[in-house]
mmCIF file of all heavy atoms in Angstrom:
data_model
loop_
_atom_site.group_PDB
_atom_site.id
_atom_site.type_symbol
_atom_site.label_atom_id
_atom_site.label_comp_id
_atom_site.label_asym_id
_atom_site.label_seq_id
_atom_site.Cartn_x
_atom_site.Cartn_y
_atom_site.Cartn_z
ATOM 1 N N GLY J 701 1.948 -14.951 31.369
ATOM 2 C CA GLY J 701 0.891 -15.827 30.897
ATOM 3 C C GLY J 701 0.571 -15.671 29.424
ATOM 4 O O GLY J 701 -0.508 -16.094 28.972
ATOM 5 N N TYR J 702 1.481 -15.062 28.664
ATOM 6 C CA TYR J 702 1.255 -14.947 27.219
ATOM 7 C C TYR J 702 1.056 -16.340 26.611
ATOM 8 O O TYR J 702 1.774 -17.287 26.956
ATOM 9 C CB TYR J 702 2.450 -14.289 26.532
ATOM 10 C CG TYR J 702 2.573 -12.797 26.749
ATOM 11 C CD1 TYR J 702 3.818 -12.207 26.994
ATOM 12 C CD2 TYR J 702 1.465 -11.959 26.683
ATOM 13 C CE1 TYR J 702 3.943 -10.845 27.177
ATOM 14 C CE2 TYR J 702 1.583 -10.591 26.878
ATOM 15 C CZ TYR J 702 2.820 -10.035 27.123
ATOM 16 O OH TYR J 702 2.941 -8.697 27.305
ATOM 17 N N ASP J 703 0.123 -16.425 25.665
ATOM 18 C CA ASP J 703 -0.131 -17.688 24.973
ATOM 19 C C ASP J 703 0.603 -17.779 23.645
ATOM 20 O O ASP J 703 0.664 -18.869 23.049
ATOM 21 C CB ASP J 703 -1.635 -17.846 24.716
ATOM 22 C CG ASP J 703 -2.423 -17.814 26.011
ATOM 23 O OD1 ASP J 703 -2.342 -18.784 26.780
ATOM 24 O OD2 ASP J 703 -3.118 -16.802 26.255
ATOM 25 N N GLY J 704 1.091 -16.667 23.159
ATOM 26 C CA GLY J 704 1.774 -16.675 21.875
ATOM 27 C C GLY J 704 2.387 -15.322 21.584
ATOM 28 O O GLY J 704 2.477 -14.457 22.460
ATOM 29 N N TRP J 705 2.776 -15.132 20.306
ATOM 30 C CA TRP J 705 3.583 -13.963 19.976
ATOM 31 C C TRP J 705 3.122 -13.274 18.692
ATOM 32 O O TRP J 705 2.718 -13.929 17.737
ATOM 33 C CB TRP J 705 5.060 -14.359 19.796
ATOM 34 C CG TRP J 705 5.604 -15.208 20.881
ATOM 35 C CD1 TRP J 705 5.910 -16.527 20.815
ATOM 36 C CD2 TRP J 705 5.896 -14.791 22.222
ATOM 37 N NE1 TRP J 705 6.386 -16.979 22.016
ATOM 38 C CE2 TRP J 705 6.383 -15.930 22.908
ATOM 39 C CE3 TRP J 705 5.786 -13.588 22.908
ATOM 40 C CZ2 TRP J 705 6.767 -15.883 24.245
ATOM 41 C CZ3 TRP J 705 6.164 -13.531 24.243
ATOM 42 C CH2 TRP J 705 6.648 -14.668 24.895
ATOM 43 N N ARG J 706 3.214 -11.965 18.716
ATOM 44 C CA ARG J 706 3.260 -11.170 17.503
ATOM 45 C C ARG J 706 4.704 -10.693 17.415
ATOM 46 O O ARG J 706 5.209 -10.023 18.319
ATOM 47 C CB ARG J 706 2.294 -9.993 17.573
ATOM 48 C CG ARG J 706 2.276 -9.117 16.304
ATOM 49 C CD ARG J 706 3.231 -7.952 16.396
ATOM 50 N NE ARG J 706 3.165 -7.078 15.235
ATOM 51 C CZ ARG J 706 3.943 -6.027 15.055
ATOM 52 N NH1 ARG J 706 4.874 -5.719 15.950
ATOM 53 N NH2 ARG J 706 3.824 -5.281 13.982
ATOM 54 N N LEU J 707 5.403 -11.043 16.335
ATOM 55 C CA LEU J 707 6.835 -10.783 16.200
ATOM 56 C C LEU J 707 7.055 -9.562 15.307
ATOM 57 O O LEU J 707 6.650 -9.553 14.144
ATOM 58 C CB LEU J 707 7.542 -12.006 15.617
ATOM 59 C CG LEU J 707 7.345 -13.296 16.416
ATOM 60 C CD1 LEU J 707 7.884 -14.488 15.635
ATOM 61 C CD2 LEU J 707 8.007 -13.192 17.778
ATOM 62 N N ASP J 708 7.702 -8.563 15.852
ATOM 63 C CA ASP J 708 7.886 -7.289 15.163
ATOM 64 C C ASP J 708 9.054 -7.347 14.175
ATOM 65 O O ASP J 708 10.092 -7.960 14.456
ATOM 66 C CB ASP J 708 8.135 -6.188 16.207
ATOM 67 C CG ASP J 708 8.286 -4.821 15.600
ATOM 68 O OD1 ASP J 708 7.288 -4.291 15.098
ATOM 69 O OD2 ASP J 708 9.417 -4.281 15.623
ATOM 70 N N PHE J 709 8.913 -6.718 13.012
ATOM 71 C CA PHE J 709 9.978 -6.487 12.026
ATOM 72 C C PHE J 709 10.835 -7.734 11.790
ATOM 73 O O PHE J 709 12.051 -7.718 11.956
ATOM 74 C CB PHE J 709 10.860 -5.324 12.480
ATOM 75 C CG PHE J 709 11.721 -4.762 11.366
ATOM 76 C CD1 PHE J 709 11.154 -4.117 10.284
ATOM 77 C CD2 PHE J 709 13.096 -4.876 11.419
ATOM 78 C CE1 PHE J 709 11.950 -3.601 9.261
ATOM 79 C CE2 PHE J 709 13.905 -4.366 10.404
ATOM 80 C CZ PHE J 709 13.321 -3.737 9.320
ATOM 81 N N VAL J 710 10.189 -8.806 11.373
ATOM 82 C CA VAL J 710 10.932 -10.059 11.178
ATOM 83 C C VAL J 710 11.768 -10.042 9.903
ATOM 84 O O VAL J 710 12.543 -10.982 9.665
ATOM 85 C CB VAL J 710 9.972 -11.261 11.162
ATOM 86 C CG1 VAL J 710 9.296 -11.425 12.510
ATOM 87 C CG2 VAL J 710 8.928 -11.128 10.051
ATOM 88 N N ARG J 711 11.641 -9.009 9.084
ATOM 89 C CA ARG J 711 12.532 -8.876 7.927
ATOM 90 C C ARG J 711 13.976 -8.676 8.363
ATOM 91 O O ARG J 711 14.900 -8.831 7.568
ATOM 92 C CB ARG J 711 12.123 -7.671 7.076
ATOM 93 C CG ARG J 711 10.960 -7.914 6.144
ATOM 94 C CD ARG J 711 10.609 -6.652 5.392
ATOM 95 N NE ARG J 711 11.747 -6.126 4.663
ATOM 96 C CZ ARG J 711 11.838 -4.874 4.234
ATOM 97 N NH1 ARG J 711 10.875 -4.018 4.486
ATOM 98 N NH2 ARG J 711 12.900 -4.483 3.561
ATOM 99 N N GLY J 712 14.181 -8.331 9.626
ATOM 100 C CA GLY J 712 15.519 -7.998 10.082
ATOM 101 C C GLY J 712 16.405 -9.188 10.412
ATOM 102 O O GLY J 712 17.609 -9.007 10.594
ATOM 103 N N PHE J 713 15.843 -10.399 10.511
ATOM 104 C CA PHE J 713 16.672 -11.554 10.880
ATOM 105 C C PHE J 713 16.053 -12.823 10.303
ATOM 106 O O PHE J 713 14.856 -12.882 10.017
ATOM 107 C CB PHE J 713 16.859 -11.662 12.395
ATOM 108 C CG PHE J 713 15.575 -11.688 13.189
ATOM 109 C CD1 PHE J 713 15.080 -12.882 13.699
ATOM 110 C CD2 PHE J 713 14.863 -10.517 13.436
ATOM 111 C CE1 PHE J 713 13.907 -12.920 14.417
ATOM 112 C CE2 PHE J 713 13.681 -10.547 14.155
ATOM 113 C CZ PHE J 713 13.210 -11.738 14.653
ATOM 114 N N TRP J 714 16.889 -13.819 10.126
ATOM 115 C CA TRP J 714 16.518 -15.062 9.464
ATOM 116 C C TRP J 714 15.388 -15.781 10.201
ATOM 117 O O TRP J 714 15.367 -15.864 11.434
ATOM 118 C CB TRP J 714 17.753 -15.952 9.375
ATOM 119 C CG TRP J 714 17.526 -17.300 8.765
ATOM 120 C CD1 TRP J 714 16.868 -17.588 7.627
ATOM 121 C CD2 TRP J 714 17.988 -18.558 9.296
ATOM 122 N NE1 TRP J 714 16.881 -18.951 7.376
ATOM 123 C CE2 TRP J 714 17.569 -19.563 8.394
ATOM 124 C CE3 TRP J 714 18.737 -18.922 10.418
ATOM 125 C CZ2 TRP J 714 17.852 -20.911 8.590
ATOM 126 C CZ3 TRP J 714 19.016 -20.259 10.613
ATOM 127 C CH2 TRP J 714 18.587 -21.235 9.709
ATOM 128 N N GLY J 715 14.454 -16.344 9.410
ATOM 129 C CA GLY J 715 13.335 -17.060 9.996
ATOM 130 C C GLY J 715 13.731 -18.303 10.752
ATOM 131 O O GLY J 715 12.979 -18.795 11.604
ATOM 132 N N GLY J 716 14.926 -18.864 10.469
ATOM 133 C CA GLY J 716 15.381 -20.032 11.208
ATOM 134 C C GLY J 716 15.578 -19.745 12.691
ATOM 135 O O GLY J 716 15.387 -20.634 13.541
ATOM 136 N N TYR J 717 15.976 -18.511 13.022
ATOM 137 C CA TYR J 717 16.103 -18.139 14.431
ATOM 138 C C TYR J 717 14.724 -18.094 15.090
ATOM 139 O O TYR J 717 14.568 -18.448 16.271
ATOM 140 C CB TYR J 717 16.795 -16.792 14.567
ATOM 141 C CG TYR J 717 18.195 -16.765 13.996
ATOM 142 C CD1 TYR J 717 18.607 -15.737 13.161
ATOM 143 C CD2 TYR J 717 19.117 -17.772 14.291
ATOM 144 C CE1 TYR J 717 19.897 -15.703 12.635
ATOM 145 C CE2 TYR J 717 20.391 -17.760 13.767
ATOM 146 C CZ TYR J 717 20.778 -16.717 12.940
ATOM 147 O OH TYR J 717 22.046 -16.698 12.413
ATOM 148 N N VAL J 718 13.708 -17.677 14.321
ATOM 149 C CA VAL J 718 12.350 -17.669 14.850
ATOM 150 C C VAL J 718 11.920 -19.089 15.216
ATOM 151 O O VAL J 718 11.292 -19.315 16.254
ATOM 152 C CB VAL J 718 11.376 -17.047 13.822
ATOM 153 C CG1 VAL J 718 9.931 -17.214 14.279
ATOM 154 C CG2 VAL J 718 11.705 -15.575 13.609
ATOM 155 N N LYS J 719 12.258 -20.043 14.368
ATOM 156 C CA LYS J 719 11.921 -21.437 14.685
ATOM 157 C C LYS J 719 12.545 -21.851 16.017
ATOM 158 O O LYS J 719 11.908 -22.524 16.838
ATOM 159 C CB LYS J 719 12.406 -22.367 13.571
ATOM 160 C CG LYS J 719 12.075 -23.842 13.840
ATOM 161 C CD LYS J 719 12.660 -24.756 12.788
ATOM 162 C CE LYS J 719 12.203 -26.210 13.030
ATOM 163 N NZ LYS J 719 12.527 -26.702 14.368
ATOM 164 N N ASP J 720 13.782 -21.443 16.249
ATOM 165 C CA ASP J 720 14.460 -21.758 17.506
ATOM 166 C C ASP J 720 13.687 -21.184 18.688
ATOM 167 O O ASP J 720 13.477 -21.854 19.708
ATOM 168 C CB ASP J 720 15.890 -21.192 17.460
ATOM 169 C CG ASP J 720 16.767 -21.756 18.576
ATOM 170 O OD1 ASP J 720 16.376 -22.759 19.211
ATOM 171 O OD2 ASP J 720 17.849 -21.191 18.818
ATOM 172 N N TYR J 721 13.224 -19.934 18.539
ATOM 173 C CA TYR J 721 12.485 -19.282 19.622
ATOM 174 C C TYR J 721 11.107 -19.918 19.811
ATOM 175 O O TYR J 721 10.616 -20.032 20.947
ATOM 176 C CB TYR J 721 12.349 -17.786 19.342
ATOM 177 C CG TYR J 721 13.681 -17.077 19.192
ATOM 178 C CD1 TYR J 721 13.848 -16.064 18.259
ATOM 179 C CD2 TYR J 721 14.768 -17.435 19.981
ATOM 180 C CE1 TYR J 721 15.067 -15.415 18.106
ATOM 181 C CE2 TYR J 721 15.988 -16.796 19.836
ATOM 182 C CZ TYR J 721 16.141 -15.792 18.901
ATOM 183 O OH TYR J 721 17.350 -15.165 18.755
#
Side-chain angles (χ1 to χ4, degrees):
Y702 286 138
D703 301 289
W705 312 108
R706 181 267 183 183
L707 303 170
D708 182 69
F709 196 66
V710 295
R711 280 178 56 199
F713 54 102
W714 178 48
Y717 299 133
V718 172
K719 180 185 185 304
D720 194 14
Y721 301 142

